[in-house]
Amino acid sequence: MNDLITRDFNKGLVTLTLNRPDKLNALNNTMYSLLGDLLLAAAEDAQVDVILITGGTQCFSAGNDLKDFLDSPPSDMDSPVFRLMRVVMALDKPLIAAVSGAAIGIGTTLLLHCDQVLVSRSAKLRMPFVPLGVCPEFGSSLLLPRLLGHARAARLLLCNEMLSGQQAVEWGLANELHDDGEQCLAAARQLAARLQALPQDALRVSKRLLKDTHRAELEAAVRRESLLFIERLQAPETKAALRALVKD
């Protein structure tokens, strides 16, 4: 097993932990592929009831690995990052996120697709797409205005505003606030146990009903964003912004 993402299975709960601490759990193509594979395997495994994704107690994810994006940018809808998005959107098992520290870019937009999001006080959510010369992704241009209203969504997607863990709960991007990463992870596991105690078929049918009302619209938005994202990665201003941040 590639140790960039660790997998732990315990009594029906699969915990997937991003494990690239030297890069603040920034996601590269290898990790996108691996995370997609692990989520798909969990979706198809009859022994798995609930999926928990975390970056551990210090950092959730610094988002896309910028050097990887410069060296091997996604070029079509079959690229690992877009395949991962499709896998996440198709999940019918509960997906819980436990977030501590930085949750940047896709580290935040991924949370919009989780059924429950628990954060610690150290959590910092930010989507710096415009400063990097790109555009919103993973359906955030559709989901955030619906969840927060246009003005707040614009503060996050256009103005690059950062939210603390407490603000994320107050704004409705997270469900629970915990003092530290250990408490956050423990509470996420307790929540998973509550979900596991429920009738599983009914739980999955209910999740599908929650998601299906806007699935087609969401899939269309993700495709539209993704194609524009690919286009933006070739823009001179985007390449300049990325190179300015990437250290050899």
Side-chain angles (χ1 to χ4, degrees):
M1 176 64 69
N2 192 317
D3 62 2
L4 289 172
I5 301 175
T6 64
R7 177 188 184 276
D8 176 73
F9 177 75
N10 183 35
K11 299 178 180 178
L13 171 64
V14 162
T15 301
L16 303 177
T17 304
L18 306 179
N19 187 38
R20 200 186 180 203
D22 58 316
K23 298 295 184 180
L24 299 178
N25 293 331
L27 294 156
N28 57 23
N29 280 318
T30 299
M31 293 176 74
Y32 283 127
S33 293
L34 181 59
L35 185 55
D37 290 344
L38 289 167
L39 287 170
L40 189 59
E44 296 175 347
D45 188 342
Q47 292 186 307
V48 174
D49 300 320
V50 180
I51 304 164
L52 169 61
I53 186 167
T54 181
T57 60
Q58 301 300 316
C59 178
F60 187 66
S61 175
N64 292 309
D65 183 307
L66 300 183
K67 187 175 188 304
D68 200 53
F69 256 36
L70 273 173
D71 295 342
S72 304
S75 57
D76 55 47
M77 294 304 296
D78 291 325
S79 296
V81 60
F82 301 135
R83 172 181 174 262
L84 170 64
M85 292 179 186
R86 292 194 296 274
V87 170
V88 170
M89 291 190 294
L91 285 174
D92 66 355
K93 294 179 180 180
L95 180 62
I96 300 173
V99 180
S100 293
I104 308 299
I106 197 168
T108 290
T109 58
L110 171 62
L111 305 181
L112 301 176
H113 301 269
C114 295
D115 300 294
Q116 295 287 287
V117 178
L118 286 67
V119 295
S120 70
R121 292 191 181 278
S122 69
K124 295 177 176 62
L125 282 63
R126 189 161 62 92
M127 291 169 284
F129 301 123
V130 171
L132 294 175
V134 291
C135 63
E137 36 87 324
F138 215 166
S140 55
S141 65
L142 173 71
L143 297 176
L144 279 171
R146 287 189 174 178
L147 180 64
L148 305 177
H150 175 83
R152 281 185 166 179
R155 289 290 288 270
L156 297 177
L157 292 176
L158 303 184
C159 303
N160 192 28
E161 184 155 316
M162 183 180 71
L163 293 184
S164 67
Q166 182 171 336
Q167 288 173 310
V169 173
E170 291 172 350
W171 282 31
L173 291 176
N175 302 91
E176 296 181 13
L177 178 68
H178 297 276
D179 287 337
D180 57 43
E182 294 289 351
Q183 289 183 19
C184 185
L185 264 176
R189 294 188 181 110
Q190 291 172 2
L191 178 56
R194 287 172 54 193
L195 291 170
Q196 288 176 267
L198 298 170
Q200 292 301 299
D201 286 346
L203 188 64
R204 290 166 197 168
V205 167
S206 297
K207 172 167 177 171
R208 285 198 297 271
L209 286 170
L210 282 170
K211 298 286 187 178
D212 281 351
T213 55
H214 62 260
R215 186 178 301 276
E217 189 177 9
L218 177 59
E219 289 173 350
V222 170
R223 179 175 177 79
R224 183 168 60 250
E225 290 171 346
S226 300
L227 292 173
L228 286 169
F229 200 99
I230 291 169
E231 181 180 311
R232 292 299 311 156
L233 285 172
Q234 300 305 315
E237 67 176 7
T238 305
K239 291 182 177 180
L242 293 174
R243 289 193 185 105
L245 293 173
V246 170
K247 296 179 181 178
D248 295 329

